[in-house]
Amino acid sequence: EQLRREFTANVSHELKTPLHTIAGYAEMLASGMVQSDDVPKFSAQILSDAKRMTALVEDILRLSHLDEGAPGQERRQGIDLYALCERAVASLAEAARQRGIAISLTGSRQRVDGAEKLLAEIIFNLCDNAIKYNQENGHVAVSVTREGDRVVLTVQDMGIGIPPGETDRVFERFYRVDKSHSKEIGGTGLGLSIVKHAAAYHDAKIQLDSQLGRGTRVRVLFPLSQKEAQP
Ligand code: ADP
């Protein structure tokens, strides 16, 4: 109950901030107070805050879907994790290129039993972070491998890293190491909590290793697909 109350308070706060900006700027535009040269600047700010609100609402809906245990009603099926990574890497290629970041995928086709949408979200959120928190001309290495009775997804970056005391906290809802940096680059503070939930749904373990200023490596260890695990 306490967590729920905190979450609601956080959601309200996070939504109110961009909403105030949108309302304020729209009011100024509507009243004709803005000089014509400044109209594009004000409109761009409104658009950027509207996009931010959309991203937040989408992430909040994803989390509440997970909270309600909705994916449990979907049938688990054998999913090729590598194919999902190919799709995520392709969809993020342009965002990476714009930041001068190279993204590579290695490994082999590996199946896990799961919900395709959730698995895609794990991969997307980890890759998105690896791009967002990277250094200029950095690199993101994604791989899918088999290690004993586990299928391992690894996303490694050469980015800013996470301070040692905060590697657990980044999985909490709305927790960010640097709030203004996260906001500036379009973060919602919910990505890793979605990853945590979605991994738990698949009985997968998450390992995060990070060195400040040098980079972060996240590994998600999935149980083998039932089919592969059978002798
Ligand atoms: P956000 O939407 O802010 O990226 P996340 O839940 O995905 O939210 O991540 C929480 C915080 O953890 C981020 O705000 C950032 O401070 C930190 N973080 C996540 N991934 C990385 C990474 N690969 N490198 C450095 N910091 C990271």
Side-chain angles (χ1 to χ4, degrees):
E1 183 54 29
Q2 164 81 4
L3 282 176
R4 192 170 282 277
R5 247 183 281 144
E6 265 174 35
F7 182 62
T8 310
N10 273 328
V11 166
S12 316
H13 173 78
E14 296 282 339
L15 288 174
K16 247 190 196 161
T17 315
L19 197 53
H20 274 152
T21 315
I22 292 171
Y25 283 4
E27 199 177 353
M28 283 169 79
L29 286 168
S31 68
M33 274 164 68
V34 179
Q35 290 186 347
S36 56
D37 282 359
D38 287 334
V39 170
K41 199 175 79 192
F42 278 68
S43 316
Q45 189 61 50
I46 290 176
L47 186 62
S48 142
D49 276 302
K51 281 187 180 161
R52 198 175 143 58
M53 286 190 73
T54 309
L56 262 166
V57 170
E58 280 171 359
D59 275 357
I60 290 163
L61 287 176
R62 271 185 207 117
L63 264 178
S64 65
H65 183 74
L66 281 163
D67 280 345
E68 282 158 20
Q73 286 140 31
E74 285 171 31
R75 210 167 58 84
R76 289 188 193 217
Q77 41 186 334
I79 311 269
D80 178 1
L81 210 59
Y82 190 87
L84 288 185
C85 286
E86 284 178 321
R87 267 193 252 159
V89 167
S91 78
L92 285 164
E94 180 54 24
R97 199 192 56 78
Q98 280 176 12
R99 290 170 197 249
I101 288 156
I103 178 160
S104 67
L105 171 64
T106 56
S108 54
R109 304 210 170 270
Q110 300 290 345
R111 288 166 84 82
V112 298
D113 294 329
E116 182 169 334
K117 243 168 109 183
L118 286 185
L119 291 170
E121 256 159 40
I122 294 178
I123 301 165
F124 184 90
N125 280 313
L126 292 179
C127 293
D128 187 42
N129 281 350
I131 294 169
K132 285 191 312 197
Y133 302 105
N134 221 308
Q135 320 260 26
E136 207 153 301
N137 298 319
H139 181 228
V140 176
V142 184
S143 70
V144 178
T145 52
R146 166 113 177 237
E147 287 181 24
D149 59 354
R150 298 268 170 179
V151 171
V152 184
L153 163 74
T154 307
V155 180
Q156 180 151 19
D157 65 59
M158 301 167 31
I160 59 175
I162 298 167
E166 296 182 61
T167 48
D168 284 339
R169 298 213 64 188
V170 289
F171 291 96
E172 290 172 17
R173 295 174 183 195
F174 293 115
Y175 189 84
R176 293 119 156 171
V177 174
D178 178 347
K179 208 159 180 139
S180 60
H181 179 55
S182 158
K183 280 192 174 172
E184 200 182 297
I185 55 179
T188 61
L190 294 174
L192 285 181
S193 45
I194 292 173
V195 169
K196 184 175 147 185
H197 263 63
Y201 172 74
H202 289 91
D203 301 316
K205 263 203 301 205
I206 302 177
Q207 295 172 343
L208 188 147
D209 301 293
S210 191
Q211 271 185 296
L212 211 50
R214 305 199 69 169
T216 301
R217 185 185 71 169
V218 185
R219 282 166 33 102
V220 188
L221 294 85
F222 295 93
L224 269 189
S225 162
Q226 287 297 329
K227 267 196 194 144
E228 317 270 344
Q230 273 161 18

